[in-house]
Amino acid sequence: MADGLGLPLKKPPGYIDPTPRPRPPPTGPKPAFYQPKKKKNSCCRICCCCVCFVIVFLILILAIGGGIFYAWFQPKIPVFGFRPLELDRFNISVKPDGTALLDSKAVVRVEAKNPNSKLEIYFGETEVSLSFDKETQLGSATLSSFVQPSNNVTLLKFVLSEENQLIDSSTGTRLKKRVKNEDVEVNVAVKTKIGIGVWKVKIGMLPINVNCGGITLKQLDDGQTSPKCSFNTLRW
């Protein structure tokens, strides 16, 4: 401060200059835990972005390719049907101890239709099982894998037999009467795996399970009533 004559005024005792002064940098040693911050490396970000872009690009390519494939080939699952059942042998021997022995031989014919006009169907090992009234098993049989051409109907023949199968006498007596009257309920189950063939290249093998029933032996032999069938995949 200065007076009118340009001479500096004396500061009163105890005066503190309000102007802050910069502190000098510390000259002592830095703490051991102190570490200078490093600049983030942008290379990691660039790599992650590239990987994400490639993944998204591949997903888009697969989705577009799958859409084109489905639109062009229109893949369909096979259709199964059943011919009249041949019961070559069916004997039940009732014992005094309350048990019975079942001796049977049946021929099951399964009709598999490939409805695809541009695709073959690859069948894995195919198993067929037969039961009466959903409680008495009449055996099972398998056929080896085969290839079905497009627009083709293939007839599969299975021979099922049971010898000395133990059942209770009441079931045996009732079953014997129902088979004689042809009013016993027939149930057929098919288990197999299917894949599609494009230009001789096999794509995938999907497990399928077909259960058909709700029809009597007489109705099946007449061929006028179709059995009720349930179809599922990816589980047995």
Side-chain angles (χ1 to χ4, degrees):
M1 300 177 62
D3 58 2
L5 301 177
L7 297 175
L9 298 175
K10 293 183 179 181
K11 299 178 179 179
Y15 174 81
I16 299 176
D17 190 357
T19 304
R21 296 180 180 180
R23 294 182 180 181
T27 57
K30 297 179 180 180
F33 60 85
Y34 174 81
Q35 290 184 355
K37 294 183 178 180
K38 296 181 180 179
K39 295 182 178 180
K40 293 183 179 180
N41 193 349
S42 61
C43 293
C44 293
R45 292 184 178 180
I46 296 175
C47 292
C48 291
C49 291
C50 291
V51 171
C52 293
F53 176 79
V54 170
I55 293 175
V56 173
F57 179 76
L58 291 177
I59 292 175
L60 289 176
I61 292 297
L62 291 175
I64 294 173
I68 295 174
F69 177 87
Y70 186 85
W72 177 257
F73 291 102
Q74 296 181 354
K76 302 179 182 67
I77 59 177
V79 179
F80 294 92
F82 297 93
R83 296 288 183 87
L85 178 68
E86 294 183 14
L87 199 57
D88 293 344
R89 186 176 68 251
F90 189 85
N91 299 318
I92 295 180
S93 304
V94 180
K95 294 185 176 183
D97 60 356
T99 60
L101 295 178
L102 170 64
D103 183 19
S104 66
K105 180 181 180 182
V107 178
V108 177
R109 289 180 173 85
V110 179
E111 189 179 82
K113 180 181 179 181
N114 180 4
N116 297 283
S117 59
K118 301 175 183 178
L119 297 174
E120 297 178 331
I121 293 183
Y122 286 80
F123 282 83
E125 186 180 73
T126 303
E127 178 185 3
V128 164
S129 58
L130 174 67
S131 65
F132 281 171
D133 287 342
K134 298 181 181 180
E135 60 179 359
T136 305
Q137 298 294 326
L138 273 73
S140 62
T142 59
L143 289 180
S144 57
S145 58
F146 65 95
V147 181
Q148 187 179 29
S150 58
N151 289 327
N152 177 265
V153 177
T154 303
L155 188 63
L156 309 177
K157 180 181 178 181
F158 300 86
V159 179
L160 297 76
S161 62
E162 284 288 345
E163 294 183 1
N164 297 327
Q165 180 184 350
L166 186 64
I167 58 177
D168 64 88
S169 59
S170 59
T171 300
T173 302
R174 182 177 67 254
L175 191 63
K176 187 175 182 179
K177 183 179 179 180
R178 286 172 61 81
V179 170
K180 183 179 180 181
N181 296 330
E182 294 189 334
D183 59 356
V184 65
E185 183 179 330
V186 179
N187 299 277
V188 180
V190 179
K191 292 183 179 181
T192 186
K193 293 183 179 181
I194 61 171
I196 57 176
V198 183
W199 300 308
K200 304 301 180 181
V201 178
K202 182 170 62 174
I203 302 176
M205 289 299 286
L206 183 69
I208 63 173
N209 188 10
V210 183
N211 290 296
C212 296
I215 187 172
T216 65
L217 183 62
K218 185 176 182 179
Q219 290 174 324
L220 185 61
D221 291 342
D222 291 343
Q224 299 179 357
T225 305
S226 299
K228 300 176 182 178
C229 297
S230 62
F231 185 98
N232 57 63
T233 62
L234 301 180
R235 62 187 178 91
W236 291 106

